[in-house]
Amino acid sequence: MTGAHGNGPRRVLVIKLGAFGDFFLAQTAFSAIRRHHDGGHLALLTLPSLAPLARLSGLFDEVLEDPRGRSLGAYRRVRRLLRSGRFDRVYDLQGQPRTDRYFWLLAPGPWPEWSGTAWGASHRDQYPGRRKVPVIERYTRQLAPFGIVPDAVPDLSWLDADTGGFGIAVPYALLIPGSSPGRPDKRWPVERYGELARALAARGITPVVLGTAIEADLARAITAVCPQAVDLTSRTSVPEIAGLARRAWATVGNDTGPTHLVAAVGCPTLGLYCDASVPIQANGPRMVVHHRPSFADMNVGGVLAAMDALPPSR
């Protein structure tokens, strides 16, 4: 079941398909695996949309793009990627039925060492309640048998951009009012974000709304209540979001990808969580989770007080 050579695996694959926020939650695992296999060939299999970020990180010698289709042809393409890579070890950090099937795409063998949830894997990472374990803890448990220890916080020093062109008055605070389209239950009501923006502006702090085109309506609702707020939805690249975060007074956002990114680069971040986000997953040196069972119990005054208590950026 192993294709290791000499003192250990020479060709190693990490599987992490997404989503956007999960990619940043996995950064400490990526870095720890890179250190452990220093000198080896480390590849990542990920989504096409995340591949440019993976390449920019410099952690991987090769980035493979998963076609993500459900057709027989798509699975055949994945099989070719896996077999042509001649990997000695695979860390499946996705750990879902789709990537379990990737293990069996290698039939009739030979198989590499495989860490993941697939039945028959040499290092099967399966236990009761696994999906309810916070993701950072889950990675730590999965990598422990190999002597790999993720850092407490990620190193995203490679991700930055010049943001002076936006012309935002300082100090400013980032607001992230959206969530994945299928999880509106993870959103603190946009009306409350509008009230928060108005309170920040009254203090002389410029509210800056981040998001994609999907959040454009949310941004318009916030700027209608607080005309001083700056709407940057659909105007920022991922490096620019990181650059804005590095220079922000603070961020407040829902359990969504951009919030995890902002927290991971070290911005003082208040994550707004209700019981729709259980277990609570967060990763960042200055991130604080503000949790209430229901968003109906989370008011603007409490959020402002929690923002004031965030660890300072410096």
Side-chain angles (χ1 to χ4, degrees), residues 53-120:
L53 285 173
R55 295 185 180 106
L56 186 63
S57 75
L59 292 171
F60 302 99
D61 302 295
E62 181 181 17
V63 178
L64 306 174
E65 298 184 16
D66 189 301
R68 287 298 288 161
R70 297 184 178 182
S71 67
L72 180 59
Y75 278 105
R76 283 175 173 168
R77 288 196 293 276
V78 172
R79 186 175 190 270
R80 285 195 295 270
L81 287 174
L82 295 176
R83 292 184 70 84
S84 63
R86 303 181 67 83
F87 298 110
D88 304 315
R89 182 181 293 171
V90 175
Y91 299 99
D92 176 12
L93 301 184
Q94 194 71 21
Q96 293 182 345
R98 180 181 180 89
T99 52
D100 289 350
R101 288 191 287 271
Y102 289 2
F103 175 78
W104 288 105
L105 288 177
L106 293 171
W111 275 273
E113 292 183 332
W114 190 288
S115 170
T117 53
W119 183 88

Side-chain angles (χ1 to χ4, degrees), residues 36-202:
H36 188 75
H37 293 286
D38 184 34
H41 181 89
L42 183 63
L44 174 72
L45 178 64
T46 191
L47 300 180
S49 60
L50 295 174
L53 285 173
R55 295 185 180 106
L56 186 63
S57 75
L59 292 171
F60 302 99
D61 302 295
E62 181 181 17
V63 178
L64 306 174
E65 298 184 16
D66 189 301
R68 287 298 288 161
R70 297 184 178 182
S71 67
L72 180 59
Y75 278 105
R76 283 175 173 168
R77 288 196 293 276
V78 172
R79 186 175 190 270
R80 285 195 295 270
L81 287 174
L82 295 176
R83 292 184 70 84
S84 63
R86 303 181 67 83
F87 298 110
D88 304 315
R89 182 181 293 171
V90 175
Y91 299 99
D92 176 12
L93 301 184
Q94 194 71 21
Q96 293 182 345
R98 180 181 180 89
T99 52
D100 289 350
R101 288 191 287 271
Y102 289 2
F103 175 78
W104 288 105
L105 288 177
L106 293 171
W111 275 273
E113 292 183 332
W114 190 288
S115 170
T117 53
W119 183 88
S122 61
H123 296 75
R124 193 172 189 223
D125 182 59
Q126 186 65 274
Y127 46 86
R130 181 183 183 277
R131 297 304 302 176
K132 295 183 179 180
V133 174
V135 66
I136 306 303
E137 180 183 338
R138 196 160 69 232
Y139 293 150
T140 300
R141 292 177 65 168
Q142 180 175 352
L143 298 174
F146 303 96
I148 301 175
V149 181
D151 295 330
V153 296
D155 177 8
L156 290 183
S157 56
W158 51 272
L159 192 61
D160 199 358
D162 181 8
T163 59
F166 292 118
I168 301 170
V170 295
Y172 62 85
L174 303 178
L175 307 183
I176 304 174
S179 66
S180 58
R183 296 302 306 271
D185 53 336
K186 290 186 176 185
R187 295 180 185 174
W188 193 43
V190 69
E191 295 83 5
R192 302 289 85 77
Y193 272 104
E195 294 173 26
L196 176 64
R198 189 165 54 195
L200 290 170

Side-chain angles (χ1 to χ4, degrees), residues 250-265:
T251 292
V252 58
N254 302 327
D255 179 16
T256 188
T259 304
H260 295 305
L261 163 58
V262 165
V265 300

Side-chain angles (χ1 to χ4, degrees), residues 166 168-169 206-210 223 226-233 235:
F166 292 118
I168 301 170
T206 304
V208 179
V209 186
L210 297 183
T223 56
C226 178
Q228 300 96 319
V230 177
D231 178 6
L232 291 187
T233 55
R235 294 177 56 194

